[in-house]
Amino acid sequence: MTGQSLYSTYKRYRTLKTSVISALPIVILMPHSACNCRCVMCDIWKDNKNLKQLSEQDITGLLDSLNSFGTQQVLMSGGEALLNANFFKLCEILKRQKIKVTLLTTGLTIKKNASQILEWVDDLIVSLDGDEFLHDAIRNIPGAFNKLKEGVQHIKSINPDYRITARTVIHRLNFRNWEAIISESRAMGINQVSFLPADVSSHAFNRQMAWEEPKQHEILISEKELPELLEVVTRITANESNFKTHFIAESKEKIRDIYQYYAAFYGLNPFPFKKCNAPWVSTVIEADGNVRPCFFYDVIGNIRDQSLAEILNSKEVISFRKTLDVATNSTCMKCVCSLNLPPRMSLA
């Protein structure tokens, strides 16, 4: 371990112990507030008329904080980040600071932007919801699947080693299609696929209020469907090759937790325990400059009013981290995308 990496590990360890941010390995940016899909499990697109976006000035203004915190990776999320006309300039600013850039995308415009993606983005995470028919139906965009597939295969034709992973939200509309999703991912040349359950209970993803029961149950797997979900999970976890090769990113236990998550809504078991330190190792910066400790908590400041360092290390935010018990907090217990990054874990 080099002196620099040892010091970085020390700062990460100190952050976890004191709740004062001295290292921030990961930052999630939302360069654009709008989305080019109309997904049934997300409300971001419903606010497309109120466009907000991060500017080059916003990103440049972050650099002092990112450098002081030793930020290693920025995840470009959304909305659809590629809708920002200056997206690749934002990436260039970060890359020149030797910060890794990962793009989370719907995949609709990968082919169109392939050359710049290969130049300024280190890796892609694409959203995949099912086979062709189901993906298009869930995205509410005709031809979405084929655009995604063409984009992935075009990138791979230029650089076969370029890493592209897929992320799938498993819910009532696609859990029966789960095995097909795995097959389609392999067929289009995806390197790895990851699965998580649907968030149906929080204010995240542009929900002005948490979904009420009628809307929840459009996405929430019903109690009578749980045995069928368990059968699908059992078949998937019985296929050793997907786990030995790590084509499925999660362990078998994590895949089984998706069943446990849905069963918990009916009191059949507790929500699966998640070891998470997201508010200590990452932060979310939205398209209007608002900052959150993670997707699921309230705004704590705005980068257009204060530096990121001042926001994250205000007395109130330090107190929030010190008093947050992820094992018992109701928001954390129902979280669908926890992050646990130990001090020594590499992001490479």
Side-chain angles (χ1 to χ4, degrees):
M1 181 178 288
T2 66
Q4 180 61 39
S5 61
L6 181 62
Y7 182 56
S8 175
T9 300
Y10 164 73
K11 290 206 299 181
R12 286 164 62 174
Y13 178 80
R14 186 173 65 184
T15 295
L16 294 175
K17 287 297 182 182
T18 65
S19 290
V20 177
I21 302 292
S22 55
L24 192 72
I26 299 173
V27 171
I28 300 100
L29 297 182
M30 297 180 176
H32 202 275
S33 63
C35 190
N36 52 10
C37 286
R38 300 165 61 87
C39 300
V40 297
M41 63 284 188
C42 175
D43 287 348
I44 289 174
W45 57 272
K46 293 181 179 179
D47 198 39
N48 277 3
K49 62 182 181 297
N50 297 315
L51 298 183
K52 298 177 283 289
Q53 61 181 356
L54 294 175
S55 67
E56 293 177 37
Q57 183 178 357
D58 290 325
I59 304 304
T60 302
L62 285 172
L63 294 182
D64 283 346
S65 293
L66 299 186
N67 287 329
S68 68
F69 289 146
T71 300
Q72 298 168 265
Q73 181 179 18
V74 166
L75 280 73
M76 298 291 202
S77 185
E80 171 55 59
L82 288 169
L83 291 176
N84 187 314
N86 295 314
F87 173 74
F88 292 107
K89 183 62 179 178
L90 308 187
C91 295
E92 180 182 353
I93 292 169
L94 295 166
K95 291 284 289 177
R96 295 199 185 284
Q97 301 297 312
K98 303 189 183 304
I99 295 173
K100 177 182 177 182
V101 175
T102 295
L103 170 61
L104 288 75
T105 176
T106 62
L108 297 183
T109 61
I110 293 176
K111 186 174 182 179
K112 173 185 174 183
N113 293 290
S115 61
Q116 289 181 290
I117 287 172
L118 288 166
E119 182 175 6
W120 298 114
V121 177
D122 291 279
D123 64 300
L124 290 180
I125 302 174
V126 299
S127 298
L128 181 62
D129 296 303
D131 57 20
E132 181 179 351
F133 174 81
L134 192 55
H135 180 84
D136 289 0
I138 289 172
R139 295 264 139 188
N140 278 313
I141 300 292
F145 180 90
N146 282 328
K147 288 179 180 177
L148 168 61
K149 183 177 181 179
E150 288 172 5
V152 169
Q153 294 181 338
H154 183 66
I155 292 279
K156 290 290 189 176
S157 71
I158 300 170
N159 182 357
D161 295 327
Y162 190 83
R163 184 167 176 81
I164 305 177
T165 58
R167 181 173 294 172
T168 300
V169 177
I170 295 295
H171 49 74
R172 187 176 191 180
L173 301 179
N174 69 355
F175 78 90
R176 296 178 181 89
N177 203 235
W178 198 338
E179 291 159 293
I181 294 168
I182 297 170
S183 298
E184 293 288 2
S185 298
R186 283 192 180 279
M188 71 172 65
I190 295 291
N191 294 94
Q192 188 179 56
V193 63
S194 176
F195 301 102
L196 69 160
D199 171 54
V200 299
S201 59
S202 81
H203 288 78
F205 311 109
N206 197 47
R207 293 172 195 152
Q208 302 305 310
M209 60 183 65
W211 283 348
E212 296 181 352
E213 283 196 8
K215 177 62 177 177
Q216 277 191 5
H217 286 282
E218 292 177 20
I219 301 302
L220 184 66
I221 295 171
S222 69
E223 186 171 4
K224 68 179 182 181
E225 291 170 320
L226 287 175
E228 192 175 356
L229 172 63
L230 183 58
E231 290 177 7
V232 175
V233 167
T234 300
R235 289 199 302 270
I236 289 171
T237 53
N239 187 335
E240 294 289 343
S241 64
N242 285 327
F243 298 93
K244 286 182 178 178
T245 61
H246 299 289
F247 183 71
I248 293 179
E250 291 78 18
S251 65
K252 291 184 180 181
E253 291 72 22
K254 291 292 185 182
I255 296 299
R256 295 186 186 108
D257 278 350
I258 294 178
Y259 169 83
Q260 299 290 333
Y261 173 83
Y262 284 114
F265 278 95
Y266 305 101
L268 301 179
N269 51 250
F271 282 94
F273 172 74
K274 291 168 285 293
K275 192 174 183 180
C276 179
N277 58 16
W280 290 265
V281 299
S282 67
T283 195
V284 176
I285 302 173
E286 297 178 325
D288 58 1
N290 280 338
V291 179
R292 297 178 187 268
C294 80
F295 287 105
F296 302 96
Y297 282 97
D298 291 339
V299 172
I300 55 175
N302 191 292
I303 59 169
R304 293 167 183 168
D305 300 325
Q306 294 174 282
S307 73
L308 182 62
E310 289 172 329
I311 294 168
L312 294 180
N313 282 328
S314 71
K315 290 182 180 179
E316 295 79 9
V317 179
I318 292 172
S319 177
F320 163 79
R321 286 190 293 267
K322 283 185 174 180
T323 57
L324 179 61
D325 183 351
V326 298
T328 59
N329 181 278
S330 59
T331 297
C332 294
M333 288 172 65
K334 291 184 179 181
C335 177
V336 298
C337 55
S338 58
L339 169 68
N340 184 45
L341 188 66
R344 290 179 179 271
M345 182 178 288
S346 171
L347 297 181

